[in-house]
Amino acid sequence: MDEDTFGRLKEALSSRYTIERELGSGGMATVYLAEDLKLHRKVALKVLRPKLASALGPDRFLQEIDIAAKLNHPHILGLFDCGEADGFLYYVMPYVEGQSLRDKLAKEGELPIVDAVRILRDVVDALNHAHKHSVVHRDIKPDNVMLSERHALVTDFGVAKAVSDATGAIGLTTEGVALGTPAYMSPEQASADPHIDHRADIYAVGAVAYELLTGRTPFVGNTQQELLAAHVTQAPEHVTKHRESVPPALAELVMKCLEKKAADRWQTADELLARLDELATPSGGVTPTGMLPVGSAGGRWKVGIVSGALVVIVAVILILVLIPSGSEVTLDPERIVVSVFHNETGDQSLDYLGRQAGHGITQGIRGGGDFVRFTPWEVALQSSQYVQREAEAGRIRDVVRALAEETGSGTVISGAYYADGDSIRFQVDITDANSGDLLGSPEPVVGSHTATTELVTNVRQRVLGYLAVTFDERFGASAGEIGRLPTYEAYQEFDRGLELLPQYEYGEALQHFLHAFELDSTFFTALIYASVPIMQERRPQELDSLIQILEVHENDLAEYDRHWMQFLRGFRDRDYDVVLRELSHASHIAPQSRATYLHAMFLELRNRPREELSVLAAIDPSRGAMRGNWLYWNRKAFAHHMLGEHDWELEAIRQARELYPGEDMLRVPEMVALAALGQIDEVNELLFAVEDWPHYPARIVGRELRAHGNLEAAQEVFDRAVELLRTLPAEEGTGRGNRYSLGYVLYLAEEWDDALEVVEALVAEYPRERDYVFLLGA
């Protein structure tokens, strides 16, 4: 696209999208990375080639796109928007932080067999859903498969059909517009057969599978005409000729996809999917090499293999325990974490200095604005304490690398302080965690142990000055902006509040934060943290007072804190566009912060689960702030539930159950996922094993069963709940909680008169209890 045309495109879409850069182009369209100005998210914006757009016309294009937009499946990349602007036809999809299958093949060539089967299964699963809705893709190829985490997503449903109709009717092939992709085109497409059905997609899956397993397509030709002719007239070489290790069952599956006659192929994607599911299990013929049974190696090797395996296992355990692995964690070199400084004075009463120094330096860094990404002190403190415990237990050797991995930070500021006569000496190190190299050490700071606030202030100024000279002068500016450190007494109160916050002691934590601000009226960070328990405990008047104080001193706040203040204002005013925008900005500065988790939560509340999953994907639930927080998994599972992706919902919640086997609250979302999938026997097995199941799970699970058409199973749950609640001992059954549960379950069981009697009695006794009043209204 020339500059004039590109400028016209940017102008035409400027009210909705800001186009940032081109991501790639193909025979049908050019794809751009863009910013959705209304919803503040990155999107992939595809613009049809001008001649193709002219041939299609907006009506035909939008009709086909509309068909595709109705597809809703975990392995189909959905559509956000489409339209026509100044002659440009475009459609908008989520921007996937990953790579295309084409990119992966270009880098790696043939793939491991297990990976190939997994990707194929996802693609066929998507096609199975589309075919059941009478949608044929017509252009399955590696370029149209995106890889995100461990899953494959198929793109561009509906586009290929509109294009092929236009090319066939108007003869655009002579103008260079692709009618499909010759390397993956079925014989009926290659010969322009007008009667093409879903089995053309089956053929294309075979061609893609062939390339995944061998690194080459079934046919190779110098021209498109040669490739098209080969699909119609030539038999492909057997896949095992190019890779002998392909299991026979998988090889035959691929070759059956590539049969010339559609009637000789797999007849449905459902049939093919079932076979891939079989192959993906150990008994199905695609057992990963590392899982081969010992006996398969032959009798004389058994003893050696077993004893050798024990040695290897012990060695691997030692490596995993003692040397933190960096292979699974991406460390952002531009994200900084400051650790708790180690107390080497021998005086435990000075332990707080290590926390105050770490927090003081973090406060200085957070004043730098968007140019630097930092780890909030709350997360750094929690992570430092975890790493120190593991190091003391002998499970970690390199504490700097371990802290970097906990927080995803590529730059670590750490150090220690020592007794130096009547003084204290601080030593600071700045480390590149990716290489392990020491980037530098500011000159040590020495000060009196009776003037610790001044001492820590000097440490912070020295570190920020060093960062300004060595890395970026804006660090020096932030040192001036953030002002002095809080008084000793104020910081002690704040530190105590931080200890209580992760223990959910919100009321007590709030008192410490507010007292810290009372002791030092310039300590605005204490107010930022006070907002968390205020929101948790729903204290609107206190929140309004807090916001008013912050607004008066807005110019004294660090950039991150200003975004947080704007978020609080949006939350108070119920302006959720502001809430999401400000949380997004705060998350950009501090990706692993509480702001990121709140961003995901508010996306859920605004019914935007796909974006919520994208935000959650940026958080590592096994490290840092999310370590030990099972609510992360609950949120992820519910987002999949909202999207109807119940397989993924169940996968997420079972991951959580493995990580937190003693967390009873996770049993209910697992039952909900099973109910949505219609796995009634498993639902009942779990449900009837819960001692207090009539109180809550029965209502939720029964409703989910009924929502998915399992009316008999739902009624059985409601009836059983009513029976058990009515037979509770008198001292239990008369409790208001059990009476409310009984009324609710009677209502769900459609026993209207009995439900009304129970709930009217509750409302008469507790007229201000809104749950009872709401149920009475229902």
Side-chain angles (χ1 to χ4, degrees), residues 294 301-314:
V294 170
W301 290 101
K302 287 181 181 178
V303 174
I305 287 174
V306 171
S307 60
L310 289 174
V311 173
V312 171
I313 289 169
V314 171

Short mmCIF file of all heavy atoms in Angstrom, two decimals, residues 294 301-314:
data_model
loop_
_atom_site.label_atom_id
_atom_site.label_comp_id
_atom_site.label_asym_id
_atom_site.label_seq_id
_atom_site.Cartn_x
_atom_site.Cartn_y
_atom_site.Cartn_z
N VAL A 294 9.37 -49.02 30.48
CA VAL A 294 10.73 -49.56 30.60
C VAL A 294 10.87 -50.86 29.84
O VAL A 294 11.87 -51.12 29.18
CB VAL A 294 11.09 -49.76 32.10
CG1 VAL A 294 12.37 -50.53 32.25
CG2 VAL A 294 11.20 -48.40 32.78
N TRP A 301 18.13 -54.46 29.38
CA TRP A 301 18.33 -53.06 29.73
C TRP A 301 17.54 -52.64 30.97
O TRP A 301 17.74 -51.56 31.47
CB TRP A 301 17.92 -52.15 28.57
CG TRP A 301 18.85 -52.25 27.39
CD1 TRP A 301 18.65 -52.95 26.25
CD2 TRP A 301 20.13 -51.63 27.27
NE1 TRP A 301 19.72 -52.81 25.40
CE2 TRP A 301 20.64 -51.99 25.99
CE3 TRP A 301 20.91 -50.79 28.09
CZ2 TRP A 301 21.88 -51.56 25.53
CZ3 TRP A 301 22.14 -50.36 27.64
CH2 TRP A 301 22.62 -50.75 26.38
N LYS A 302 16.64 -53.52 31.45
CA LYS A 302 15.70 -53.06 32.48
C LYS A 302 16.41 -52.57 33.73
O LYS A 302 16.12 -51.49 34.24
CB LYS A 302 14.73 -54.19 32.85
CG LYS A 302 13.69 -54.45 31.76
CD LYS A 302 12.74 -55.54 32.18
CE LYS A 302 11.72 -55.82 31.08
NZ LYS A 302 10.81 -56.91 31.45
N VAL A 303 17.34 -53.34 34.26
CA VAL A 303 17.99 -52.97 35.51
C VAL A 303 18.77 -51.68 35.34
O VAL A 303 18.71 -50.76 36.15
CB VAL A 303 18.92 -54.11 35.99
CG1 VAL A 303 19.71 -53.65 37.21
CG2 VAL A 303 18.11 -55.34 36.31
N GLY A 304 19.50 -51.58 34.23
CA GLY A 304 20.30 -50.37 33.98
C GLY A 304 19.43 -49.14 33.83
O GLY A 304 19.77 -48.07 34.32
N ILE A 305 18.30 -49.32 33.14
CA ILE A 305 17.42 -48.17 32.94
C ILE A 305 16.83 -47.70 34.26
O ILE A 305 16.81 -46.51 34.56
CB ILE A 305 16.30 -48.53 31.95
CG1 ILE A 305 16.88 -48.62 30.53
CG2 ILE A 305 15.18 -47.50 31.98
CD1 ILE A 305 15.88 -49.12 29.51
N VAL A 306 16.37 -48.66 35.09
CA VAL A 306 15.75 -48.27 36.35
C VAL A 306 16.75 -47.58 37.26
O VAL A 306 16.51 -46.51 37.81
CB VAL A 306 15.13 -49.50 37.04
CG1 VAL A 306 14.68 -49.14 38.45
CG2 VAL A 306 13.97 -50.03 36.23
N SER A 307 17.94 -48.18 37.44
CA SER A 307 18.92 -47.58 38.32
C SER A 307 19.41 -46.25 37.76
O SER A 307 19.59 -45.28 38.49
CB SER A 307 20.10 -48.53 38.54
OG SER A 307 20.72 -48.83 37.30
N GLY A 308 19.61 -46.20 36.46
CA GLY A 308 20.04 -44.95 35.83
C GLY A 308 18.99 -43.88 35.96
O GLY A 308 19.30 -42.71 36.20
N ALA A 309 17.72 -44.29 35.83
CA ALA A 309 16.64 -43.31 35.94
C ALA A 309 16.60 -42.70 37.33
O ALA A 309 16.35 -41.51 37.50
CB ALA A 309 15.30 -43.99 35.64
N LEU A 310 16.88 -43.54 38.37
CA LEU A 310 16.88 -43.01 39.73
C LEU A 310 17.95 -41.95 39.90
O LEU A 310 17.74 -40.90 40.52
CB LEU A 310 17.11 -44.15 40.73
CG LEU A 310 15.93 -45.12 40.91
CD1 LEU A 310 16.33 -46.27 41.80
CD2 LEU A 310 14.74 -44.39 41.50
N VAL A 311 19.13 -42.23 39.32
CA VAL A 311 20.22 -41.25 39.40
C VAL A 311 19.82 -39.95 38.71
O VAL A 311 20.02 -38.85 39.22
CB VAL A 311 21.51 -41.82 38.77
CG1 VAL A 311 22.58 -40.74 38.71
CG2 VAL A 311 22.00 -43.00 39.58
N VAL A 312 19.23 -40.11 37.50
CA VAL A 312 18.82 -38.93 36.74
C VAL A 312 17.76 -38.14 37.49
O VAL A 312 17.80 -36.91 37.57
CB VAL A 312 18.30 -39.34 35.35
CG1 VAL A 312 17.68 -38.14 34.65
CG2 VAL A 312 19.45 -39.90 34.52
N ILE A 313 16.78 -38.86 38.07
CA ILE A 313 15.70 -38.18 38.79
C ILE A 313 16.26 -37.39 39.97
O ILE A 313 15.91 -36.23 40.19
CB ILE A 313 14.65 -39.21 39.28
CG1 ILE A 313 13.86 -39.75 38.08
CG2 ILE A 313 13.71 -38.58 40.30
CD1 ILE A 313 12.99 -40.94 38.41
N VAL A 314 17.17 -38.03 40.73
CA VAL A 314 17.77 -37.33 41.87
C VAL A 314 18.51 -36.09 41.40
O VAL A 314 18.41 -35.00 41.98
CB VAL A 314 18.71 -38.27 42.65
CG1 VAL A 314 19.50 -37.48 43.68
CG2 VAL A 314 17.91 -39.36 43.33
#
